[in-house]
Amino acid sequence: MRLFLLFSFSALLLHEAYGFTDEPDRKALLDIKSQVSEENQDVLSSWNNSSPLCNWKGVTCGLKHKRVTRLDLGGWQLSGMIPPSIGNLSFLISLDLSENSIGGTIPYEVGNLFRLKYLNMSSNFLGGEIPVNLFNCSRLLGLDLSDNHLGGGVPSELESLEKLEILNLGVNNLRGKLPASLGNLTSLMRVRFSHNNLEGNIPDDLAKLTQLVRLVLGSNKFSGGFPLSIYNFSLLEYLNMFGNVFSGSLKPDFGNLLPKLQLLHMGANSFTGPIPTTLSKISNLQEFGIEYNKMIGSIPLSFGKLKNLQKLRLNNNSLGSYSSGDLDFLKALSNCTQLLTLLVNRNKLGGDLPTSITNLSTNLWKLDLGTNFISGTIPYDIGNLVSLQKLVLRENLLTGPLPSSIGKLSRLVFLNLTSNRMSGEAFFNRQHHLVRKTLFVQQ
């Protein structure tokens, strides 16, 4: 009995020492406060020894042990550095330091926070490399270090974070290739590497990331053909590959393989070949951009099946064949009643401008068919496009007068018809007043 009581008393002392005392947390937080620049310390005025720790602003404690479990300092405009003592907040589950002006480096001691599930240090001025110790936080579900000045490569040790669902390393100075070990993070749902200096091919091992819903690779130096691993992401809703050096053609069954896409941004690469007609199988597609590439062939009529399409950017390619039939897609797009933006300028589109252009969505606000080989006249009912703010038909072969119905376009703020064979006057009806504007069109 005495042995049992002695054991129970010892356990109670240990519990008291390590479970219910908040002294380690108090010291760590006061140390953090001491590192904050003086002009920002007013926001941490509640952090003092005269008030209970769990009442401090931005601090959340556990109900039982009264240790700090959450630290929410996001958007507090704090400046200074993160002290190593932050690693003493051993009960911390969530740490948010985002949207401040914190500099220096990420302390290695952050790796001591073994209970941590969410870490957000985005939108600061953190430099140096991502510390390898960070990957000791094996319970992490969300890691956001975006919008900083972090350098070095993407550590292969990331594979230790087997439970990770969200990874955001965008807008930094990361370089080198993506490690194949990323493929072991099979719980990942959202990944962002955009706006870095990453290069090379996307590893085939990433094909194992079958839970991905969002993948952002834009504004890097990635190269090679369209990554075959991406075709395995059947749950993918958002794919951004804009501004890389990807090349080659797209699989004809592209739309069958990625049927849940809503946003697809592939502009500013070196893709070639035709646009897959199976894109029409992506029934929820809202935005598709493959501008500034080397795409050839016709613009698929099947785009007309995309009832949710809002933005279509096909400009600066080699689409069309300088002949009639190149503009047949316009009739098909009349089914896309949500269409807001249509950019097909700087291609090889020929033939007469069809009257079907006047049947496009009344929500359309930006229409650019400039720098093509389009002939004929502007259809009289162009005024049906009542939401137009920007209309560009420059550098074509258009003739005839400018139809007076353009006066219905009360929201129009930019009109460019230069380098055609037109001349005339435009009438704009604004707020029930007829305002006459003379439009000089280059012969």
Side-chain angles (χ1 to χ4, degrees):
M1 184 65 177
R2 291 180 179 178
L3 184 61
F4 173 76
L5 290 174
L6 180 62
F7 177 80
S8 300
F9 181 68
S10 300
L12 181 63
L13 289 177
L14 287 171
H15 195 54
E16 190 71 29
Y18 294 102
F20 283 92
T21 177
D22 61 11
E23 193 59 27
D25 294 352
R26 183 180 294 271
K27 288 182 178 179
L29 292 180
L30 290 176
D31 199 13
I32 291 174
K33 180 179 179 179
S34 71
Q35 295 297 313
V36 171
S37 300
E38 290 185 9
E39 62 269 21
N40 303 124
Q41 289 206 1
D42 287 347
V43 75
L44 299 176
S45 58
S46 64
W47 291 25
N48 59 72
N49 284 316
S50 62
S51 61
L53 172 69
C54 297
N55 291 342
W56 291 6
K57 185 178 180 181
V59 174
T60 301
C61 296
L63 295 176
K64 294 182 179 180
H65 47 66
K66 304 301 180 183
R67 299 290 299 273
V68 177
T69 57
R70 292 178 59 96
L71 187 58
D72 299 307
L73 307 182
W76 287 22
Q77 299 180 338
L78 302 175
S79 57
M81 300 175 69
I82 305 172
S85 55
I86 197 170
N88 294 333
L89 298 171
S90 57
F91 280 72
L92 206 59
I93 294 174
S94 177
L95 173 60
D96 185 358
L97 301 176
S98 65
E99 297 182 27
N100 285 292
S101 298
I102 299 171
T105 59
I106 300 174
Y108 282 91
E109 289 77 8
V110 171
N112 296 337
L113 305 176
F114 66 95
R115 289 184 173 90
L116 202 62
K117 292 184 178 181
Y118 301 97
L119 175 60
N120 189 346
M121 294 183 172
S122 64
S123 300
N124 281 288
F125 298 103
L126 295 167
E129 298 187 1
I130 301 173
V132 175
N133 283 25
L134 177 60
F135 307 120
N136 292 333
C137 304
S138 58
R139 299 184 188 182
L140 270 177
L141 300 176
L143 174 61
D144 191 344
L145 303 178
S146 63
D147 294 274
N148 279 288
H149 302 301
L150 298 172
V154 177
S156 60
E157 290 84 359
L158 258 173
E159 66 175 335
S160 302
L161 306 181
E162 296 178 353
K163 298 181 179 180
L164 200 64
E165 297 176 356
I166 300 172
L167 174 62
N168 190 348
L169 301 179
V171 196
N172 278 290
N173 298 315
L174 300 174
R175 60 184 183 273
K177 299 181 178 181
L178 292 182
S181 57
L182 282 177
N184 294 327
L185 302 179
T186 54
S187 295
L188 276 176
M189 299 174 66
R190 298 172 180 269
V191 175
R192 182 183 178 218
F193 289 117
S194 59
H195 295 89
N196 279 287
N197 294 303
L198 298 169
E199 61 186 13
N201 294 354
I202 303 299
D204 292 338
D205 295 66
L206 266 60
K208 293 182 287 185
L209 307 183
T210 56
Q211 302 303 307
L212 271 186
V213 173
R214 186 179 181 94
L215 178 60
V216 185
L217 303 172
S219 300
N220 279 287
K221 300 174 183 177
F222 291 122
S223 57
F226 185 91
L228 297 180
S229 56
I230 292 180
Y231 287 121
N232 211 39
F233 304 156
S234 60
L235 300 179
L236 201 63
E237 296 178 0
Y238 179 37
L239 174 60
N240 188 335
M241 308 173 69
F242 185 92
N244 282 284
V245 201
F246 290 115
S247 58
S249 58
L250 307 179
K251 282 188 174 184
D253 54 348
F254 188 101
N256 295 324
L257 297 169
L258 299 170
K260 294 189 178 296
L261 280 173
Q262 297 179 20
L263 307 176
L264 177 55
H265 299 161
M266 304 175 68
N269 282 285
S270 295
F271 289 119
T272 58
I275 298 174
T277 59
T278 56
L279 287 179
S280 63
K281 301 292 186 181
I282 309 176
S283 58
N284 289 320
L285 191 63
Q286 299 173 22
E287 296 183 17
F288 175 54
I290 197 164
E291 69 274 29
Y292 295 99
N293 277 282
K294 301 175 183 178
M295 305 302 290
I296 60 173
S298 60
I299 297 177
L301 304 184
S302 56
F303 275 130
K305 298 179 181 180
L306 298 174
K307 304 296 184 182
N308 297 305
L309 190 64
Q310 297 178 16
K311 297 181 180 180
L312 183 59
R313 298 185 299 273
L314 307 177
N315 52 289
N316 295 78
N317 280 286
S318 296
L319 297 166
S321 58
Y322 309 102
S323 61
S324 61
D326 287 347
L327 300 175
D328 288 351
F329 70 93
L330 289 172
K331 182 178 181 180
L333 287 178
S334 63
N335 295 320
C336 303
T337 57
Q338 304 301 313
L339 194 63
L340 303 173
T341 300
L342 175 58
L343 307 180
V344 292
N345 51 298
R346 295 191 178 276
N347 278 289
K348 299 178 179 179
L349 302 175
D352 287 351
L353 189 63
T355 58
S356 58
I357 194 174
T358 65
N359 296 324
L360 290 173
S361 168
T362 54
N363 295 309
L364 191 68
W365 75 271
K366 187 174 184 180
L367 175 60
D368 193 339
L369 286 83
T371 316
N372 279 291
F373 299 85
I374 301 171
S375 54
T377 60
I378 297 177
Y380 176 79
D381 289 327
I382 193 70
N384 292 347
L385 305 180
V386 293
S387 296
L388 270 186
Q389 297 180 36
K390 182 174 182 179
L391 174 60
V392 180
L393 295 169
R394 68 174 184 172
E395 297 179 1
N396 277 293
L397 306 172
L398 295 170
T399 58
L402 184 66
S404 59
S405 69
I406 204 166
K408 297 179 181 179
L409 304 180
S410 60
R411 300 180 184 179
L412 196 65
V413 294
F414 186 88
L415 175 63
N416 191 341
L417 304 175
T418 58
S419 298
N420 278 286
R421 300 169 183 175
M422 303 172 58
S423 62
E425 296 180 332
F427 292 83
F428 295 83
N429 190 344
R430 295 177 186 271
Q431 299 178 351
H432 306 293
H433 295 286
L434 194 64
V435 180
R436 184 172 177 170
K437 294 189 176 182
T438 303
L439 174 66
F440 294 98
V441 183
Q442 184 175 339
Q443 299 296 315

